[in-house]
Amino acid sequence: MATTSTTGSTLLQPLSNAVQLPIDQVNFVVCQLFALLAAIWFRTYLRSSKTSSFIRHVVATLLGLYLALFCFGWYALHFLVQSGISYCIMIIIGVENMHNPMMIITQKITSLAYEIHDGMFRKDEELTSSQRGLAVRRMPSLLEYLSYTCNFMGILAGPLCSYRDYITFIEGRAHRGAQPGASGKDGLPCERAEPSPNVAVIQKLLVCGLSLFFHLTISRTLPVEYNIDERFQATASWPTKVVYLYISLLAARPKYYFAWTLADAINNAAGFGFRGYDENGTARWDLISNLRIQQIEMSTSFKMFLDNWNIQTALWLKRVCYERASLSPTIQTFILSAIWHGVYPGYYLTFLTGVVMTLAARAMRSNFRHYFIEPPQLKLLYDVVTWVMTQIAISYTVVPFVLLSVKPSFMFYSSWYYCLHVAGILVLLFLPVKKTQRGKTTHENVQLSRSKKCDERENSLGQNSFSTTNNVCNQNQEIASRHSSLKQ
């Protein structure tokens, strides 16, 4: 294999040639494996109980910058320069309109910017409950800021975490929460030994191994590009085209499963990602998990898929855009997502298509779903049909994201006669979303209540229900919320 151009180290070029993968991908995987070992060392020898927060911040930052230097060469200085400039801007102008071209750094800087702005420049009554929980009440020091944005656990692949969760981890307060009572509810705050992440890390590494195996074998035999092959388009039947579209996009997902699950395992190995205990007293390590594979593959709605795919990015988009947009928040959120991903035209085609698919799916669901809640056999049929429709719609939507360029993307959509675009637009024209009103009949309220309960059951693992403000022990927050609701 010819040497691939890279701005990072070429030390692993022989390995790149041996495994027939680009040098930048090899550098990434090796650095992540090094980060995994470093995370184990970090948790073992620099645990918060015997090491100061200052030392933990310094080590996490220096290791992160080293990994960036190995992968990106002196371009890694861009991380440091941009972070330093952004820090100065936050101090000078009060944290407004932050933007950075680097994807993970962008998320962290903008998230922290809004969290500081909410905590220091807005009144509590102006904030939502989630914004109050995430609000940062004092300006971070430069070291804390660099540690948050450039730490070795997340500098290469994330995932995004809130600043408060990260500082809580560094200071060793994540496990000092409440024990679950017999009913599964939080009891009184108590001191509890730091839980071990070993089981969670091993499970996630097994998922990584399987994902990598599928990516290196099956994924290569089912290229997405074959969907626009002229011979395939001319000879394949429509059922064959539909099936291959689904299978080829299914085969494209393991590389994301590998990267995100490995990143999650690295953070867990360092002791970061603990979300408290379930009703059985088992430690949960999904505080910053980025995906739920089972819920993704079994999604019966567009929303359920998006809620479980790239979870932290979805939360970031919700917090910095959707909740703050005054006009067309869905459209603005998809546009921001496209801009954040990069300059390839395929990204914009995917996210513009996603706007239509999301709004159309919402309209269909709000108008028809409550008719199919009972009996269970009818609900099962509805789930099967919506699963098929969701998987086809998702695959149809993300083809340009994989193809990247304009010409092949339009070749694919034209070969499908833009059928789902047309269907989505017709749904939006003739089937508007029904808004909940106070004056609904008793029968309508019963149907909506049943639908809501069913949604909660099927999405209990598929929603963004994890803590974003270290809610391992959220008793005080719950009391404050109840007190606020009583006052209202």
Side-chain angles (χ1 to χ4, degrees), residues 355-368:
V355 171
V356 177
M357 297 295 107
T358 300
L359 296 177
R362 185 182 300 168
M364 291 285 291
R365 187 177 179 87
S366 65
N367 280 273
F368 296 113

Side-chain angles (χ1 to χ4, degrees), residues 199-208 261 264-265 268 285-286 289:
V199 173
V201 171
I202 291 173
Q203 290 174 342
K204 291 173 183 180
L205 290 179
L206 289 175
V207 172
C208 289
T261 305
D264 195 14
N268 291 170
W285 289 89
D286 57 351
S289 294

